[in-house]
Amino acid sequence: MTSEITLFVNPTAGRGRGAHAAQPAASALRAAGFSVRTVLGEDADDALRRAREAVAGGTGALIAVGGDGMMSLALQAVAGTMTPLGVVAVGTGNDFARALGLPIRDPAAAGRLAAEALKGGSIREIDLGRVGERWFGSVLASGFDSRVNDRGNRMRWVGGRFKYDLAILAELAAFRPIPYRIRLDGGPVQEIGATLIAVGNGSTYGGGMRICADAVMDDGLFDVTVVGDCSRTTLLKVFPRVYKGTHLGHPKVTVHRVSSIELVAAGVTAYADGEPLGALPLTATCVPGAARVLAQ
C-alpha cells in the first residue's frame, strides 16, 4: 500500500468546521508516517472529479473531511474499488460515522484512527445502496421525512437539527398520507398508504434519528421502515420516538428486510444520505461489500 493518502475536504461543512478539521486530521496522519495530499474542489462536481482522479491514481486511502454530504460524495469515488475510505466527521448530522461507531467532531482522533487502521489493515467491508449510478451509505428517505428535508433546506435563517424540528412542525400542518406502490425483492406490487418509507443501509438520519434502528451495514440487506397511513395525532405521538428507535414497536410501523425495493409515488422527492436524489419512481438495490472503510 502506498504511503501517500488523499485528504478530501469540504471547507464549509458544519459552518466552517471542515476547514478547521483538516489540519489536525492531516497532522495525525503525517505523524504516523503518511504523505498527505489535500483535494478541494470549486464545486461538488469538480471535487468528485478530483477525488476519482486520486482513486484512479492509486492513492492509499481517501480520507473525507466534512459532513454526510461529503461522505456521500466520497462514496461515489470509492464504491466498487479497493481504495479504503477514511471518515473525519465534522458536519451537522454525521450519521454515516455514527452508524460505524467512528469519532464525531474530533478530527485528531479520527485522523489517528484512520492511520492506525491503515497500518494495521483494519478495514471493514460495508454494503452500499445503489439507485442508478448513485451510491448511498446511510438512509434513503421518501415521504413525510423527505418533505421535511425539502422545507428544511429552504430555511436559510436557522441551522442544525433545530431547523429540521421546525420543518417537521410546518409539514405537519399540511400532512396527508401518501399513496405508494412498492415492490420488494422483485415480488408482487403492493399498493399502500404510508406516511413515509425509509430504506436503511445504516440506522440513522437527520443527526441521530434512528429511523431504521436495527439496520446493519454489512448484512447484505436493507431495513425498510414503513410508517403507515396514520392520523396527524398518531404521527405526533410516533415520530418523537424515532430518536430512540422505539417507534419500530408501534402497530402503524412495519419493517421489511430486503435486497431491493421499487418505490413509486407522485410528488415525492427522495433523499439519500441527506442529499436530494430525485423524484420517485426509483429502484434501490443493496450491493454487498461495495465499499471498504477504515474502522476500529
Side-chain angles (χ1 to χ4, degrees):
M1 181 191 69
T2 177
S3 63
E4 182 180 276
I5 60 177
T6 302
L7 208 62
F8 186 41
V9 182
N10 178 2
T12 64
R15 294 188 171 184
R17 281 193 295 268
H20 294 294
Q23 184 174 350
S27 295
L29 289 158
R30 289 189 177 107
F34 293 97
S35 173
V36 178
R37 172 175 170 260
T38 300
V39 167
L40 299 168
E42 295 179 1
D43 53 30
D45 289 341
D46 183 54
L48 178 55
R49 179 185 62 79
R50 292 170 186 260
R52 283 177 166 156
E53 286 177 353
V55 170
T59 187
L62 187 70
I63 313 292
V65 183
D68 285 324
M70 195 61 172
M71 303 309 147
S72 175
L73 205 60
L75 287 174
Q76 312 312 309
V78 301
T81 76
M82 294 299 292
T83 303
L85 173 67
V87 178
V88 180
V90 292
T92 302
N94 304 309
D95 289 294
F96 186 70
R98 183 176 287 105
L100 290 165
L102 298 174
I104 293 174
R105 299 195 185 118
D106 189 343
R112 288 193 298 270
L113 186 151
E116 290 166 5
L118 280 167
K119 287 192 165 186
S122 181
I123 296 175
R124 179 180 174 185
E125 291 191 354
I126 65 167
D127 310 330
L128 295 179
R130 189 168 191 177
V131 177
E133 297 301 311
R134 177 85 168 267
W135 300 90
F136 66 94
S138 297
V139 176
L140 185 156
S142 75
F144 178 77
D145 45 6
S146 64
R147 288 176 174 173
V148 167
N149 239 326
D150 284 337
R151 186 178 291 271
N153 288 340
R154 295 194 298 269
M155 291 180 174
R156 305 296 185 185
W157 50 275
V158 63
R161 199 171 83 181
F162 181 60
K163 172 170 68 174
Y164 292 98
D165 291 339
L166 290 177
I168 287 170
L169 293 175
E171 281 301 315
L172 277 169
F175 170 72
R176 295 287 187 280
I178 298 165
Y180 280 91
R181 285 186 289 128
I182 67 171
R183 188 194 301 266
L184 304 174
D185 282 340
V189 173
Q190 303 175 44
E191 296 189 2
I192 61 172
T195 301
L196 65 86
I197 298 177
V199 182
N201 184 55
S203 55
T204 70
Y205 65 5
M209 300 168 71
R210 304 186 68 221
I211 186 67
C212 300
D214 297 329
V216 178
M217 298 183 84
D218 56 4
D219 63 352
L221 295 170
F222 291 133
D223 277 30
V224 177
T225 299
V226 179
V227 179
D229 181 348
C230 57
S231 68
R232 186 180 290 110
T233 301
T234 300
L235 182 58
L236 278 168
K237 292 178 180 177
V238 173
F239 206 78
R241 293 167 59 176
V242 76
Y243 290 101
K244 293 185 177 179
T246 56
H247 64 294
L248 297 183
H250 193 278
K252 285 289 186 180
V253 178
T254 55
V255 177
H256 308 275
R257 303 189 74 240
V258 300
S259 59
S260 69
I261 179 170
E262 297 175 34
L263 291 170
V264 180
V268 175
T269 299
Y271 281 73
D273 294 339
E275 300 295 309
L277 185 61
L280 301 189
L282 62 77
T283 299
T285 303
C286 184
V287 182
R292 306 170 78 235
V293 179
L294 300 175
Q296 294 170 320

